[in-house]
Amino acid sequence: MLLFRFALFFLLIAAGVCFAFYIGTGKAYFRQWGLIILKWTVIAALGFFGVLILERLL
């Protein structure tokens, strides 16, 4: 579980860095990468919380 939390944390950091580069440079591909990383972070977080909920139920 701890490894999964670190992975989510680092994915959020990576998305934030991509958005910061987008703001700094204005290059659209940084925004695109940031959105892709953020999308997969949200999907991973939903999976993580889904597993936590299932553990509570069972």
Side-chain angles (χ1 to χ4, degrees), residues 44-56:
L46 288 174
F48 175 73
F49 289 119
V51 168
L52 286 179
I53 291 170
L54 284 175
E55 281 182 355
R56 295 277 181 169

Side-chain angles (χ1 to χ4, degrees), residues 24-54:
T25 64
K27 306 239 184 226
Y29 59 86
F30 284 122
R31 183 179 60 98
Q32 183 179 6
W33 272 103
L35 288 174
I36 290 170
I37 293 170
L38 187 63
K39 176 183 77 169
W40 284 105
T41 303
V42 168
I43 290 170
L46 288 174
F48 175 73
F49 289 119
V51 168
L52 286 179
I53 291 170
L54 284 175

Side-chain angles (χ1 to χ4, degrees), residues 3-27:
L3 181 64
F4 199 76
R5 289 181 187 176
F6 280 130
L8 286 176
F9 176 72
F10 287 125
L11 283 171
L12 282 175
I13 294 294
V17 168
C18 284
F19 289 131
F21 281 161
Y22 169 67
I23 291 169
T25 64
K27 306 239 184 226

